[in-house]
Amino acid sequence: MGTFIFFILFLVITFQSSIIKVNCANFQATEFCGTGPDIHYPFQIKGQQTQYEALPGFELLCKDNITTIHFPSYGDLVVKSISYDTKKIDLLDPRNCSQGVFMNLDLSHTPFKFYYFLKNFSYLNCSTNLSPRFIEVPCLSGSTYHVYTVDPALYVPSSCEIVKTVAIPFEYSPYVSDNSLGLRLTWDLPESEDNKTLAQTRDSHKARYIENC
Ligand SMILES: *[C@@H]1O[C@H](CO)[C@@H](O)[C@H](O)[C@H]1NC(C)=O
Ligand SMILES: *[C@@H]1O[C@H](CO)[C@@H](O)[C@H](O)[C@H]1NC(C)=O
Ligand SMILES: *[C@@H]1O[C@H](CO)[C@@H](O)[C@H](O)[C@H]1NC(C)=O
Ligand SMILES: *[C@@H]1O[C@H](CO)[C@@H](O)[C@H](O)[C@H]1NC(C)=O
Ligand SMILES: *[C@@H]1O[C@H](CO)[C@@H](O)[C@H](O)[C@H]1NC(C)=O
């Protein structure tokens, strides 16, 4: 009888520890790419095996030890850091042109949106220089044309055409131009995933194991 109870206990303990492993694998398995940020749920590195299914939009690429995320509307952006608790991802543009990112990046059909408050600006493409009050965006301008971001309510000079009007976090300023300015996004999980995480947290028994991973 004693042996039998011991055997049952043994089974229970073994079974529980296998649950722990599964939970840890699901939610804590961390991947790295070079010295980049920790990568775990909901993100994953494309092509690497994880226990959970890849969520659309959350796949990252690891090329030459650099973590990047691909947006079809713009191309690759480098992932500087990810904050999982506040759902923030900081990116930088390898082409050093945040204003070009703002102009082209289309975040609809992605889980992301800009972290910052957005305001509409018009991108003007002008054949002559505007008054010195306006400062051209160097990375979008060429020797024969000058690109500006202006308030859409402004009168458009005849030497300019409106490329597009789009809601962006910052207009161009030469004083605060760097390759990551404004490139902070936040994300929403698909509803079904939110429920999954909620269910996991609600189950205090399991949640404790997750904390212990
Ligand atoms: C990536 O980093 C690892 C370790 O830091 C190094 O061994 C490897 O050569 C690097 N790979 C590339 C493509 O730079
Ligand atoms: C972007 O800027 C960094 C430093 O400011 C520089 O090292 C790098 O070469 C620039 N990249 C491009 C594509 O201009
Ligand atoms: C930008 O303009 C569009 C079209 O006029 C409008 O629908 C949108 O709400 C505006 N966005 C912001 C952030 O003001
Ligand atoms: C601005 O106009 C020039 C010449 O017409 C063109 O080559 C360039 O691509 C345009 N730039 C943008 C951002 O529309
Ligand atoms: C998620 O949970 C909410 C309320 O808790 C429910 O209304 C919704 O149908 C659930 N969605 C899915 C996909 O399970």
Side-chain angles (χ1 to χ4, degrees):
M1 188 61 186
T3 326
F4 181 68
I5 289 171
F6 181 76
F7 179 67
I8 294 289
L9 266 177
F10 175 77
L11 274 186
V12 165
I13 288 166
T14 319
F15 182 62
Q16 285 226 341
S17 54
S18 71
I19 289 177
I20 294 171
K21 278 200 201 97
V22 168
N23 275 324
C24 290
N26 274 345
F27 289 91
Q28 296 298 112
T30 299
E31 302 170 276
F32 292 96
C33 172
T35 53
D38 297 10
I39 296 162
H40 61 79
Y41 181 88
F43 292 91
Q44 67 172 257
I45 298 176
K46 192 173 181 161
Q48 293 199 2
Q49 277 287 307
T50 47
Q51 297 291 314
Y52 55 90
E53 229 176 282
L55 294 174
F58 289 102
E59 277 191 319
L60 305 178
L61 305 168
C62 184
K63 277 188 229 158
D64 300 333
N65 285 342
I66 297 172
T67 313
T68 62
I69 182 163
H70 181 78
F71 292 101
S73 53
Y74 186 75
D76 291 346
L77 292 172
V78 174
V79 179
K80 263 188 1 183
S81 62
I82 303 175
S83 168
Y84 291 90
D85 50 348
T86 53
K87 294 189 175 174
K88 283 188 307 216
I89 178 167
D90 282 320
L91 306 171
L92 67 82
D93 179 24
R95 287 173 260 188
N96 288 351
C97 191
S98 299
Q99 294 297 330
V101 180
F102 300 155
M103 183 170 81
N104 293 301
L105 188 64
D106 179 6
L107 294 175
S108 55
H109 312 298
T110 78
F112 302 101
K113 57 176 186 276
F114 280 105
Y115 179 79
Y116 303 100
F117 179 78
L118 303 181
K119 195 167 172 298
N120 277 331
F121 281 96
S122 292
Y123 281 78
L124 299 186
N125 195 347
C126 307
S127 57
T128 59
N129 270 308
L130 298 186
S131 87
R133 177 159 85 79
F134 299 98
I135 296 162
E136 68 177 38
V137 183
C139 62
L140 294 176
S141 300
S143 54
T144 57
Y145 57 95
H146 312 276
V147 174
Y148 301 86
T149 48
V150 301
D151 185 327
L154 224 72
Y155 165 78
V156 179
S158 61
S159 67
C160 302
E161 58 174 17
I162 299 177
V163 182
K164 65 160 69 163
T165 297
V166 61
I168 66 175
F170 298 102
E171 69 185 303
Y172 177 72
S173 156
Y175 308 110
V176 284
S177 60
D178 79 16
N179 57 8
S180 61
L181 178 73
L183 296 181
R184 172 175 286 179
L185 308 179
T186 174
W187 69 82
D188 281 320
L189 288 175
E191 201 178 78
S192 56
E193 286 294 319
D194 253 354
N195 283 8
K196 219 189 269 175
T197 317
L198 210 67
Q200 288 282 350
T201 325
R202 230 187 271 131
D203 190 338
S204 61
H205 203 54
K206 278 186 201 156
R208 189 152 31 84
Y209 290 135
I210 292 170
E211 279 163 22
N212 288 341
C213 284

